[in-house]
Amino acid sequence: MKTAVIYARYSSDSQSEQSIDGQLRVCNEYARSHDITIVNTYIDRAMTGTNDNRPDFQRMIKDSSRKEWDYVLLYKLDRFSRNKYEMAVHKKTLRDNGVRVISATEYIPDSPEAIILESMLEGYAEYYSAELSQKVKRGMKESRLKGNYTGGHLLYGYKVENHKVVVDEEKAKAVRYIFEQYAMGVYVKDIISALTAKGIFNKGKPFAETTIHNMLRNEKYTGVYRYKDDVFDNIFPQILPKELYEKVRHKSELNRYGRRSIETVYLLRNKLVCGYCGCPISAETGTEKVGKVIRYYKCLGRKHRNGCTKATLRKEFLEDFVVDNVVKLLSEKQTCDKMISALMQKQEDIITDNADLQRLTKEYKTTELQISNIMAAIENGGTSATVMNRMRELEQKKKELEKAITIQKSQTADRVTEKEMRAFYQEALELEAYLLINVLIKQITLYDDKMIITYNSPIKEGPDESRDFSFYQKTLNMPYKGKKIKIEVTFAV
Ligand SMILES: [Zn+2]
């Protein structure tokens, strides 16, 4: 049975607010009917929506790292946060802790493309959150031209003084050390251990591997800051020589796909089947004579001596091999175009499905009609005080609705353009390989000389034409230990 915690929030800034008791009742009913056990309840009272000072919310996020429950159950998603960016950030933290967010009253789409879209939108928010409106964008550009720091997460190694980014010499030393070590071939994990041993931390904790990987890719350390098509060399002072950065970038590019998760996660867990005996292929850990830990994938049938002789494969090799091929396939123009158009359509659907906006628009139309009816009555000589009062009421209501509609629209108006979606798709292919594998691949049947990759259908409903992903079918050959492995790609219907 799955477990959940409830998060409820009552904000005093809305009159139609559901009470805490009401929220809890709905959530508990939802849990009962979905066979979910509630293990804890977090409540914030009378805080405004824009104020992030919500002690129980923070506590809930913190507690999620203990990985003791599966879901956070909410009355409505807006309990979580009214700020999309903030919501994405918190949702990502929870997801990293294996926790999903459920709304008891709203449908949250969970189809593969919605998951990809969500992660892309998250990425989008992370990268472009600072430019939600043209105005902000323009202001920031002006600011950049002056060499001013425009806010956001500040890169390790720098600090801000009088609106300018300056080198934090103590931290810059660590940055140089990290790059030099990596250039010499030291593993990120070992670099972190060395830093920790020296007492060098990031925000009081040992560096995370992802942080180091992000640092290794960050051109700002050479003094160059690219923003869209503009290049600014007056914002970040140089910490590293260009040659060292280039050397490291080249090195890290060679092992980038999904690396950050490969250290601890078995990328292909539950996806592999032995082509000879049909048993699952599972992850194993062994130790070489010198004591070095090696990880590999082994047929369970062979492990239990059913006579199968399927060769074991090194974890890193197989994962890189699969990821490389998935990324290659999904990067091809035809596949890419199809995915982008599916994602753009999905985005439109999400926006049109905005129930609040629909309700407000309907109410607005009704109000307009009522006003024009009264206008007609007045024209026909009916000008009593009651009629005039009613008229004023309606005008006021119309104004309020207009405002509410504008707010609703602004929340969904920052839609991702096709160009941006394309950029994010490419980026997701590089950085979210784990996510892609999990979502897109249904099964991989493994032989010694070939593998058959079966993809999930990215689109479950819709006309036949849009469900035609036959271009997924592809045969690829890649060498392994001098042999060529044939790859067949098929597609689950
Ligand atoms: Zn087998």
Side-chain angles (χ1 to χ4, degrees):
M1 192 188 252
K2 297 280 187 188
T3 53
V5 298
I6 296 176
Y7 176 70
R9 176 166 64 85
Y10 181 80
S11 63
S12 46
D13 54 9
S14 165
Q15 286 167 357
S16 58
E17 187 80 2
Q18 174 70 269
S19 69
I20 293 280
D21 286 346
Q23 293 181 36
L24 294 181
R25 194 187 62 242
V26 173
C27 287
N28 277 311
E29 272 165 16
Y30 180 94
R32 253 195 310 280
S33 64
H34 287 78
D35 232 8
I36 296 169
T37 310
I38 302 295
V39 293
N40 206 345
T41 303
Y42 299 85
I43 299 169
D44 282 320
R45 273 173 216 276
M47 309 281 174
T48 59
T50 45
N51 181 356
D52 202 29
N53 181 22
R54 292 176 281 154
D56 254 31
F57 183 81
Q58 304 297 349
R59 201 160 60 84
M60 182 269 290
I61 296 283
K62 198 163 158 257
D63 288 355
S64 75
S65 66
R66 293 206 301 258
K67 300 177 189 199
E68 290 169 348
W69 22 272
D70 306 299
Y71 306 118
V72 176
L73 187 52
L74 310 162
Y75 167 67
K76 265 181 94 165
L77 268 188
D78 71 357
R79 298 301 85 191
F80 207 63
S81 167
R82 290 198 182 156
N83 173 320
K84 259 189 172 176
Y85 173 59
E86 194 186 85
M87 170 137 53
V89 171
H90 291 315
K91 267 175 93 174
K92 182 140 174 56
T93 309
L94 289 172
R95 191 160 60 212
D96 290 347
N97 291 333
V99 174
R100 273 187 52 201
V101 177
I102 318 179
S103 159
T105 57
E106 295 151 307
Y107 170 68
I108 308 172
D110 207 13
S111 58
E113 75 271 30
I115 297 170
I116 301 172
L117 179 76
E118 193 190 290
S119 88
M120 285 184 178
L121 290 175
E122 271 179 27
Y124 178 80
E126 261 174 54
Y127 286 78
Y128 297 108
S129 69
E131 43 149 332
L132 282 173
S133 69
Q134 287 291 337
K135 206 172 144 198
V136 175
K137 225 190 279 184
R138 269 202 298 277
M140 283 184 33
K141 186 160 175 183
E142 290 301 309
S143 198
R144 280 195 202 95
L145 289 173
K146 285 186 207 140
N148 282 343
Y149 174 61
T150 50
H153 170 73
L154 188 63
L155 185 59
Y156 184 88
Y158 296 100
K159 58 186 176 186
V160 176
E161 276 174 9
N162 301 323
H163 305 294
K164 303 273 185 207
V165 178
V166 295
V167 174
D168 184 329
E169 212 26 73
E170 216 33 55
K171 289 178 175 171
K173 256 189 240 164
V175 173
R176 287 184 205 110
Y177 174 81
I178 291 166
F179 272 78
E180 280 157 10
Q181 292 290 303
Y182 191 85
M184 289 189 322
V186 179
Y187 288 122
V188 167
K189 225 194 271 176
D190 296 333
I191 297 175
I192 293 171
S193 310
L195 287 170
T196 309
K198 288 174 178 211
I200 301 173
F201 298 99
N202 183 22
K203 292 172 198 155
K205 282 188 289 194
F207 277 86
E209 283 190 32
T210 42
T211 311
I212 302 279
H213 281 293
N214 288 335
M215 285 168 73
L216 292 171
R217 277 199 298 261
N218 212 316
E219 200 183 5
K220 295 189 190 98
Y221 288 130
T222 68
V224 173
Y225 174 32
R226 284 174 212 279
Y227 185 82
K228 303 226 160 154
D229 297 330
D230 298 320
V231 181
F232 300 90
D233 58 4
N234 59 346
I235 296 177
F236 288 88
Q238 187 169 4
I239 286 183
L240 295 172
K242 208 140 194 135
E243 308 75 57
L244 178 59
Y245 169 77
E246 284 302 328
K247 190 176 171 191
V248 162
R249 192 184 61 90
H250 182 71
K251 227 184 165 74
S252 92
E253 212 137 88
L254 291 175
N255 17 299
R256 75 180 155 175
Y257 294 136
R259 267 288 181 227
R260 58 175 165 159
S261 40
I262 285 180
E263 289 302 328
T264 44
V265 175
Y266 283 84
L267 209 53
L268 307 175
R269 195 190 292 254
N270 302 328
K271 303 274 184 194
L272 296 169
V273 170
C274 174
Y276 299 107
C277 71
C279 288
I281 290 180
S282 72
E284 298 274 324
T285 307
T287 317
E288 278 181 335
K289 281 181 202 113
V290 282
K292 191 175 161 244
V293 174
I294 52 162
R295 298 183 173 89
Y296 49 90
Y297 286 105
K298 187 177 189 174
C299 166
L300 268 184
R302 182 178 165 188
K303 190 182 176 190
H304 298 125
R305 302 178 202 283
N306 71 349
C308 181
T309 57
K310 166 88 195 74
T312 57
L313 279 173
R314 285 290 286 263
K315 171 182 185 289
E316 294 78 11
F317 165 76
L318 187 62
E319 289 174 352
D320 281 359
F321 191 60
V322 169
V323 171
D324 277 348
N325 279 288
V326 169
V327 170
K328 211 178 267 172
L329 181 71
L330 295 175
S331 304
E332 279 169 10
K333 191 170 181 317
Q334 205 188 6
T335 325
C336 191
D337 288 350
K338 193 107 182 171
M339 289 298 280
I340 297 298
S341 83
L343 289 169
M344 291 307 287
Q345 185 54 51
K346 189 77 207 170
Q347 179 176 240
E348 277 318 303
D349 293 350
I350 290 171
I351 291 169
T352 350
D353 278 358
N354 185 337
D356 284 342
L357 184 58
Q358 280 175 9
R359 181 181 53 75
L360 289 168
T361 313
K362 203 173 152 195
E363 210 172 318
Y364 183 80
K365 279 186 188 143
T366 316
T367 313
E368 265 191 327
L369 188 70
Q370 285 169 332
I371 290 174
S372 69
N373 285 346
I374 293 185
M375 287 297 283
I378 294 172
E379 277 161 23
N380 289 330
T383 48
S384 71
T386 332
V387 170
M388 291 314 285
N389 270 343
R390 179 75 185 131
M391 183 76 181
R392 262 194 292 278
E393 265 172 39
L394 286 168
E395 286 291 356
Q396 183 59 31
K397 189 177 172 194
K398 190 179 154 191
K399 246 184 226 154
E400 273 163 22
L401 283 168
E402 252 165 26
K403 207 166 114 195
I405 288 172
T406 314
I407 291 170
Q408 273 297 327
K409 276 191 176 159
S410 76
Q411 280 172 5
T412 44
D414 51 338
R415 62 181 73 183
V416 184
T417 66
E418 192 184 322
K419 197 176 154 205
E420 285 162 340
M421 186 70 93
R422 209 167 271 277
F424 266 99
Y425 179 76
Q426 303 289 8
E427 196 145 341
L429 285 183
E430 288 170 18
L431 301 176
E432 300 290 343
Y434 172 68
L435 178 89
L436 286 175
I437 299 273
N438 226 352
V439 167
L440 296 174
I441 292 187
K442 187 182 168 75
Q443 184 179 298
I444 299 171
T445 312
L446 216 52
Y447 298 82
D448 283 337
D449 58 350
K450 74 169 180 181
M451 66 170 79
I452 299 171
I453 302 178
T454 308
Y455 283 85
N456 279 314
S457 163
I459 295 177
K460 290 234 160 56
E461 287 155 23
D464 283 349
E465 194 263 326
S466 71
R467 275 183 292 158
D468 177 18
F469 274 74
S470 53
F471 53 84
Y472 266 180
Q473 286 168 17
K474 195 108 199 158
T475 306
L476 296 157
N477 289 299
M478 279 187 82
Y480 175 57
K481 289 182 180 172
K483 279 189 299 187
K484 289 222 171 205
I485 296 185
K486 193 178 161 208
I487 300 184
E488 285 175 26
V489 173
T490 58
F491 174 61
V493 241

